[in-house]
Every structure is written in structure tokens, then in C-alpha cells.
Amino acid sequence: MTFSMAFSEEQRDLIDWSHRFATEVMRPAAVDADEREALPWDVVEEAAKIGMYSWETMASLLGDPSGLSLSLLAEELFWGDAGTAMVMFGTNLAVGGLVSAGTGEQIAEWAPQMYGDVAQPQVAAFCVSEPDAGSDVSNLRTRARYDEATDEWVINGQKAWITNGGIAATHVVVASVEPELKARGQATFVVPEGTTGVQATRKIKKLGLKASHTADVFFDDVRVPARCLLGGRDKLDERLARAREGGRTSTQNAMQTFELTRPVVGAQALGIARASYEYALDYAKDRVAFGRPIIENQAIAFTLADMATEIDAARLLVHRAAWMGRTGQTFGTGEGSMSKLKASEVAVWAAERAVQILGGAGYSRDHPVERFYRDAKIYTIFEGTSEIQRLVIARALSGKHIR
């Protein structure tokens, strides 16, 4: 079998296409969106217009046999502007939850609706985290009960820190149907647009990713038809029966979705890291101090060398994990978590180094590295903190995988 790290022609075209969009559409809008803390709908609309934001494109990326295409797109768009890109990838995460748990018929019905259409693009939200259940998703308090009289599921609870929460046309919600079974007693539901009882009362003000909309979402006697249970009732009943008997069950959907998407999250962090490095490199070549460009100072040059090396190392971990996930390889030593851990910590470190290289200029809003620095920090927190990633890796090494 021939080993090659070369991208295919389709992947090179994808990189060029997304980089051009990031340069020409996303970056010019980034400062205003960050300062207004407002979702840039015009950027989302432009992405939908050219086909970048659509179920057709997402399905094509997911179908890439190498598993790399979605990560390649993520790196370029988050290089452009992380806050704006997060709006679009918030929908992709919800679609990931749908694809992980849903039947073919459910995916065909709901996935296109999550993106809307060219005339009216929509966003979707994946609702897992709660005020008392961030990293510990086995402890969800949101409940779903089946009402036989109406053939509906009734959902009650609060979700926290939800990207696109409340403004989404479609919410994908993980809820407990048998709390005593912890994670094995959970199920995933689609809550369609217009369903009564869904409310987001507070948009969260954040350190970074300010262009993206993050909110707490409340579900108050939210009724959805039985067909909105992803995977169907028979599959859920079989899984619950095995769990009650103490038997093994398939990986719980929320954790499975997060594990498979961790390389993509790592690629998002890579985009911020690369943007920080490239800006600092250009600045160091142009900035003259004591009669010469500061890149000629060894301290600056070595820092930039370390930045380039760390970013490339993180990218290799991301691409390996993306390939493993797509080809069904077992993450025997937590490779998915390794990729997210390394890329997120490199992003924070590289952005901080970029600020340092620019000095006082880097601390001001006259240059984008201060925004990169703010945007990067969330990557050591959401979709599994750095501490959780280390726990996953450590337990994988010991043979005690987290379920």
C-alpha cells in the first residue's frame, strides 16, 4: 500500500475555495461582527449562495474516504474568523448529532432543514451541556417522557452554553429517558422549528467568538412527535433493555458525536493558531527596531520557528485522528482527544506569542492578534476541557475507556 500525505485535487480545490471565501468575505466583516457581538447573517447568506453552507456540501465532506475534507474546511474558515465560522459549524455539530443517531430517513428529512436554502439560510443547535453537566454529560437533568395518549415525547429542562441556541430553526436535544441508567438511559431528539415551549431568555456575553450566538435554552413541556426520536423507538427500547440487564450498549450518542468531531474542533483551533503565526511573522519582517527588522533578533526568530513547528505537529495529529474516525479505526490511545488537546493548547500559546511579538500593538485592537487570543481560549474549555482530554487519553492508555 502506497503511503502519501499529498492532498487530492478535490481537497486542494476545497482549500483554495474556502481560503478565498475566508479572505474576501469573512475577514472584512470580522472586526465589526466582533465589536457588535452580532451574528453576521450576510456572511452566512453568502456562504449559502455559493454552496459552502448546505447539506449537500456537508454530505460530500462527510463522504470523503480520507476523512480530511471537513477538517481542511474548518482550518481555512477559522483562519478567516473564528466567531463567524462558529455560527456555521454550530449547525454542522447539530448535523453530526443527527447523523450519529438518526436513521437514513430521519437524516434525509431533517439535515437539509437545518441549513435552510439559498433564499433563507437557517442555523441549527446541538443541545447537550447543562448548568450542572458540562464535562459530565452522564449527569443530564433534562428529561424526556413518552405520552402514549398523543404518541409524543415531552421534553423539560435547561441547556447551557448552546451555540446558535434559541435562534436555531432546529434544535437537536440530548435528554434522559431513564435517569437511573445515567448515560445509557439517554436519547436524542429533533425539535423542529416552530415547536412551542422552546425559549432562550439570555444571550451570553463571552470573552471571544463574539460574532457567534451562545445562549441558555429552556424546554418547557416541549412536545415533539414520536418520529423525532432519533434512531426510533425500537432501537431505544433494545438499548434500554440491555442497560437494565447490565449488558453492554452502544456508545452514548453525545459522547460519540464529540469524540468523532474532536479532530474537526482541533482543526478550528489550528485555523486560529495559523492566523496568529502568519500575522506575527509578517509583522516581525516589517517592524524595525534598533535599525533592523525584529525577525533578525534570535529570540523572535526562534519563537516563530517554535510556532511553525507546533502548528504542524498539531495538524498531523488532527489529520491522523480525522482519518482514523472516517475509516473506523479504534481510538485505542485516545487519538481523537490527543488531536483536540494539542491543537487547542497550541492555539492559545501561539496567539499569546503573537501578542507578545507585537508588544503594545498586539494588546490593542489596531491589530487582530488580540481577537485571536480571545477566540483561542475557548478551545481548551468547550467540547471537553484539556483536563477531560487528558483523562480520556489516560484511561485509554490504562484500558479503562470512558463510556
Side-chain angles (χ1 to χ4, degrees):
M1 179 178 179
T2 302
F3 174 75
S4 174
M5 296 182 67
F7 295 137
S8 67
E9 182 178 353
E10 292 79 7
Q11 288 169 336
R12 290 194 298 271
D13 289 343
L14 173 65
I15 292 170
D16 291 342
W17 182 46
S18 53
H19 187 77
R20 185 165 58 251
F21 180 81
T23 301
E24 297 175 359
V25 180
M26 298 179 75
R27 285 204 163 182
V31 173
D32 180 65
D34 179 75
E35 290 184 350
R36 292 191 300 110
E37 300 191 32
L39 188 156
W41 273 111
D42 55 338
V43 175
V44 178
E45 289 169 353
E46 185 63 26
K49 187 184 302 181
I50 65 173
M52 183 173 290
Y53 182 74
S54 69
W55 167 237
E56 290 77 13
T57 294
M58 181 64 171
S60 174
L61 297 176
L62 291 174
D64 174 12
S66 75
L68 298 183
S69 289
L70 189 56
S71 292
L72 296 175
L73 176 68
E75 181 176 339
E76 295 306 323
L77 296 188
F78 281 77
W79 173 90
D81 178 49
T84 304
M86 183 54 65
V87 176
M88 294 185 277
F89 272 76
T91 298
N92 292 343
L93 181 60
V95 170
L98 170 67
V99 171
S100 293
T103 64
E105 293 78 8
Q106 288 172 325
I107 294 169
E109 178 181 2
W110 298 112
Q113 295 183 38
M114 292 185 180
Y115 295 93
D117 54 36
V118 174
Q120 189 175 3
Q122 304 279 8
V123 295
F126 190 46
C127 303
V128 180
S129 297
E130 298 180 0
D132 295 320
S135 297
D136 182 14
V137 298
S138 67
N139 195 36
L140 298 182
R141 294 186 177 182
T142 298
R143 301 287 186 259
R145 64 175 178 83
Y146 180 64
D147 185 344
E148 293 186 5
T150 61
D151 193 27
E152 294 175 320
W153 287 90
V154 185
I155 303 171
N156 283 280
Q158 176 186 357
K159 296 297 182 178
W161 314 295
I162 304 303
T163 300
N164 297 336
I167 65 169
T170 308
H171 292 78
V172 177
V173 184
V174 179
S176 179
V177 296
E178 289 201 21
E180 62 275 12
L181 296 177
K182 296 291 187 179
R184 295 184 298 171
Q186 294 172 3
T188 307
F189 302 85
V190 167
V191 178
E193 182 178 17
T195 303
T196 59
V198 181
Q199 187 175 20
T201 59
R202 181 175 71 98
K203 177 184 176 182
I204 298 171
K205 290 187 173 293
K206 310 184 297 292
L207 173 69
L209 300 183
K210 291 187 175 183
S212 68
H213 183 98
T214 307
D216 292 344
V217 184
F218 295 85
F219 299 87
D220 184 12
D221 283 339
V222 171
R223 289 180 170 269
V224 297
R227 64 187 179 83
C228 292
L229 167 64
L230 294 184
R233 185 62 186 269
D234 289 344
K235 183 177 179 181
L236 174 63
D237 287 344
E238 290 173 6
R239 181 161 57 83
L240 293 177
R242 288 197 302 272
R244 293 187 202 103
E245 295 169 0
R248 294 179 62 85
T249 62
S250 59
T251 305
Q252 196 273 334
N253 180 54
M255 291 305 296
Q256 183 180 30
T257 300
F258 286 141
E259 186 64 12
L260 292 175
T261 59
R262 276 171 182 157
V264 179
V265 176
Q268 297 172 11
L270 273 176
I272 302 172
R274 198 182 99 214
S276 302
Y277 160 71
E278 291 178 359
Y279 196 91
L281 176 63
D282 289 342
Y283 183 88
K285 290 177 179 178
D286 294 337
R287 175 75 165 95
V288 175
F290 302 103
R292 61 178 181 174
I294 63 172
I295 197 172
E296 295 182 13
N297 295 317
Q298 190 178 78
I300 300 295
F302 280 14
T303 297
L304 289 163
D306 286 343
M307 291 168 74
T309 301
E310 290 295 309
I311 290 168
D312 272 4
R315 184 179 291 111
L316 288 172
L317 286 173
V318 165
H319 287 185
R320 179 185 68 167
W323 171 79
M324 289 179 69
R326 178 64 181 86
T327 55
Q329 309 295 313
T330 299
F331 289 154
T333 54
E335 291 88 348
S337 290
M338 284 182 182
S339 69
K340 197 267 184 181
L341 171 65
K342 181 64 174 178
S344 63
E345 298 205 337
V346 166
V348 173
W349 174 81
E352 193 275 337
R353 289 294 85 196
V355 171
Q356 191 70 22
I357 288 172
L358 269 69
Y363 197 70
S364 74
R365 293 197 174 186
D366 293 337
H367 296 270
V369 292
E370 65 85 27
R371 185 176 77 252
F372 300 157
Y373 190 27
R374 289 186 285 107
D375 289 345
K377 181 56 191 171
I378 191 60
Y379 283 89
T380 62
I381 299 172
F382 74 173
E383 293 206 40
T385 64
S386 290
E387 291 76 17
I388 288 294
Q389 306 308 324
R390 289 185 170 93
L391 180 61
V392 172
I393 296 165
R395 290 193 175 181
L397 295 174
S398 69
K400 298 179 179 179
H401 293 266
I402 291 180
R403 293 186 177 86

